[in-house]
């Protein structure tokens, strides 16, 4: 799934200035970057596949800092161009950044800002979104990154509207993608935008990947909280909540345990996790339901009670909205894909499984890797004291208190 913004016609209509050419793609590499993400735009835009009907791009590989550049496994790379070559590119891709905790080089940020001002399309793959955010290019915009880093991006850059559900987000002249393989999805989307479905389909066949993937990152999300919460007083409240998910309590209960007003608790929780407390709590209850559906023979009604939902109807509603499947269908698909020996060992225990579920094809209608992050979006508007059984509307994203973005639509 992707987000295309139609609210940026100005960005789409901007013309390149100076020596910039639409067909030139500059890839900005840094030392310490992962080699897989770095190789994606090099393969997509740097190989001549005109014989297969794929229009040719001109690739410029640029070093974002002094070389040699060291990458995964200790390999050393020497880029043929420096930052000056970016001035010729109509598209600039930052495939990854080495550390979400360290600032990118200021010279590289200046080059990105200048490219954007001159009409270039700026692309951040995976943690490359942190570089774009540091340059100020994501301020006030929707964006995504790897689900694991989305809470940190939202916390560090509160003016960025981080959506951890999407595989990629196209906001006209600035685009971002989720982790690793989602970079391929975004690069295919760029080819599709430039040259149409036929060219993108031909490229996808050459790469032996789907031309479009349905769904988003939700199937891969985990229950992780940002590492920074470990030393915060709220960590004790979070730990208590996770240990008592089988009980019926609400956000007011958590605020009381933290000796805070509801308003203060909401604000502190958001600042730490990028998520509203209510959406976090619902997400944890759904996660617990997943574990029980995978590892026990409890009925759906019993699972609902053991996860703190007030009724099976509430469980089914939240489960379907988060995972796109009913609890019964999820359990059936999970067990159908497990070896017979594993299925026979299921017990009535409510303990979590000893290891992760078997991986499945990413196009499965009911994916197994559906662990959601504790800071991931869950159904519901801004957190309220409503019961967890209340049906809610559009999922709230990480950006605290932001209005819905006008004119956004899913890519066709």
């Amino acid at each position: 799934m992707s987000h295309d913004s139609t609210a940026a016609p100005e960005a789409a209509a901007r013309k390149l200035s100076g020596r910039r050419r639409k067909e030139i793609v500059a890839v900005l590499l840094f030392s310490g970057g992962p080699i897989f993400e770095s190789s994606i735009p090099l393969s997509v835009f740097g190989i001549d596949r005109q014989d297969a009907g794929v229009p040719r791009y001109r690739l410029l590989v640029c070093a974002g800092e002094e070389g040699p550049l060291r990458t995964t496994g200790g390999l050393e790379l020497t880029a043929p161009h420096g930052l000056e070559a970016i001035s010729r590119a109509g598209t600039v891709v930052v495939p990854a950044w080495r550390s979400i905790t360290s600032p990118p080089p200021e010279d590289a940020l200046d080059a990105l800002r200048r490219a954007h001002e001159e009409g270039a399309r700026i692309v951040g793959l995976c943690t490359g979104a942190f570089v774009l955010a540091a340059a100020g290019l994501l301020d006030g915009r929707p964006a995504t990154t790897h689900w694991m880093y989305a809470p940190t991006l939202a916390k560090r850059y509160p003016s960025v509207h981080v959506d951890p559900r999407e595989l990629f987000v196209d906001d006209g002249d600035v685009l971002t993608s989720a982790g690793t393989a989602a970079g391929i999805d975004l690069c295919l989307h760029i080819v599709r935008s430039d040259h149409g479905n036929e060219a993108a389909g031909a490229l996808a066949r050459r790469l032996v990947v789907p031309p479009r993937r349905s769904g988003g990152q939700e199937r891969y999300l985990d229950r992780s909280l940002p590492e920074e919460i470990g030393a915060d007083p709220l960590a004790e409240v979070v730990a208590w909540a996770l240990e008592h998910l089988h009980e019926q309590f609400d956000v007011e209960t958590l605020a009381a345990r933290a000796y805070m007003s509801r308003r203060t608790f909401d604000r502190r929780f958001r600042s730490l996790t990028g998520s509203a407390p209510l959406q976090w709590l619902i997400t944890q209850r759904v996660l617990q339901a997943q574990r029980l559906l995978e590892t026990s023979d409890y009925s759906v009604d019993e699972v609902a009670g053991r996860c703190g939902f007030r009724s099976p109807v509430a469980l089914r509603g939240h489960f379907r909205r988060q995972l796109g499947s009913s609890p019964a269908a999820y359990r059936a698909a999970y067990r159908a894909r497990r070896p017979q020996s594993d299925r026979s060992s299921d017990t009535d225990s409510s303990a979590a499984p000893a290891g992760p579920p078997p991986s499945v094809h990413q196009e499965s209608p009911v994916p197994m890797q559906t662990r959601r992050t504790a800071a991931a979006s869950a159904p519901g508007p801004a957190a309220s004291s409503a019961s967890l059984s209340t049906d809610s509307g559009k999922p709230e994203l990480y950006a605290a208190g932001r209005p819905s973005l006008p004119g956004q639509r899913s890519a066709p």
Side-chain angles (χ1 to χ4, degrees):
M1 177 182 283
S2 69
H3 262 174
D4 275 333
S5 175
T6 56
E10 252 183 68
R14 291 169 64 189
K15 293 185 178 179
L16 294 174
S17 61
R19 296 181 297 160
R20 297 186 183 277
R21 298 291 179 267
K22 183 178 180 180
E23 71 276 8
I24 297 180
V25 177
V27 176
L28 190 57
L29 299 182
F30 297 96
S31 189
I35 195 168
F36 187 95
E37 284 82 351
S38 301
S39 69
I40 290 171
L42 304 184
S43 178
V44 170
F45 302 111
I47 297 177
D48 185 355
R49 299 185 177 92
Q50 294 181 90
D51 61 322
V54 182
R56 185 175 183 180
Y57 289 87
R58 291 180 55 199
L59 179 70
L60 302 176
V61 182
C62 307
E65 56 194 339
E66 291 294 324
L69 308 178
R70 291 176 175 81
T71 185
T72 309
L75 297 175
E76 289 192 354
L77 305 176
T78 302
H81 303 282
L83 288 171
E84 71 286 346
I86 291 179
S87 63
R88 291 185 275 156
T91 299
V92 182
V93 182
V94 183
W97 174 236
R98 60 174 165 262
S99 171
I100 63 172
T101 61
S102 62
E106 193 59 40
D107 288 349
L109 298 181
D110 287 341
L112 288 171
R113 296 185 192 108
R114 187 161 51 252
H116 183 254
E117 290 169 2
E118 294 177 357
R121 175 173 53 191
I122 311 298
V123 181
L125 307 183
C126 193
T127 53
F130 283 81
V131 180
L132 273 57
L137 301 182
L138 297 182
D139 290 351
R141 292 177 178 266
T144 194
T145 187
H146 192 294
W147 61 262
M148 188 166 59
Y149 305 124
T152 303
L153 182 65
K155 179 182 177 183
R156 189 164 300 155
Y157 302 100
S159 61
V160 180
H161 306 317
V162 181
D163 188 343
R165 302 168 302 174
E166 302 294 348
L167 291 176
F168 63 84
V169 172
D170 180 346
D171 196 44
D173 55 344
V174 178
L175 302 87
T176 51
S177 80
T180 312
I184 301 176
D185 296 307
L186 179 50
C187 288
L188 283 172
H189 171 75
I190 291 172
V191 174
R192 185 180 301 110
S193 300
D194 290 348
H195 302 290
N197 288 328
E198 190 173 338
L203 176 58
R205 286 191 293 274
R206 279 293 183 96
L207 297 176
V208 198
V209 296
R212 295 178 190 265
R213 281 199 292 166
S214 61
Q217 293 193 79
E218 290 169 317
R219 65 190 69 179
Y220 307 110
L221 298 175
D222 202 347
R223 63 181 286 168
S224 309
L225 280 171
E227 293 181 3
E228 295 95 323
I229 198 174
D232 191 274
L234 283 188
E236 184 177 341
V237 176
V238 169
W240 181 89
L242 292 174
E243 292 172 1
H244 293 78
L245 290 175
H246 58 284
E247 301 177 10
Q248 290 185 9
F249 60 87
D250 56 18
V251 178
E252 297 286 355
T253 303
L254 299 181
R257 293 191 66 86
Y259 301 101
M260 296 179 184
S261 69
R262 172 63 188 272
R263 185 174 180 179
T264 300
F265 180 78
D266 282 3
R267 185 174 65 251
R268 289 284 299 121
F269 198 94
R270 281 179 179 274
S271 70
L272 282 171
T273 69
S275 172
L278 180 59
Q279 71 187 48
W280 177 85
L281 186 54
I282 292 173
T283 296
Q284 298 312 309
R285 295 196 188 282
V286 171
L287 275 171
Q288 179 70 358
Q290 282 181 267
R291 285 188 284 274
L292 292 181
L293 290 167
E294 293 168 2
T295 62
S296 78
D297 290 324
Y298 293 133
S299 69
V300 173
D301 288 16
E302 290 174 313
V303 168
R306 290 174 178 270
C307 296
F309 288 104
R310 297 186 185 278
S311 72
V313 173
L315 167 62
R316 291 186 179 97
H318 290 303
F319 201 96
R320 183 175 291 279
R321 276 190 292 271
Q322 290 196 34
L323 304 177
S325 168
S326 69
Y330 177 89
R331 169 180 272 168
Y334 178 86
R335 293 189 173 180
R337 293 179 179 275
R338 295 179 64 197
Q340 183 64 40
S341 58
D342 289 348
R343 277 180 261 167
S344 64
S345 65
D346 284 339
T347 68
D348 285 342
S349 171
S350 61
S359 61
V360 298
H361 190 279
Q362 60 197 11
E363 293 297 309
S364 171
V366 189
M368 296 305 103
Q369 291 182 340
T370 44
R371 296 293 189 235
R372 297 176 61 90
T373 178
S377 62
S384 69
S385 58
S387 87
L388 295 182
S389 63
T390 302
D391 286 345
S392 49
K394 184 177 181 180
E396 180 179 340
L397 309 185
Y398 279 141
R402 74 174 181 88
S404 60
L405 298 172
Q408 282 201 340
R409 59 181 175 83
S410 293

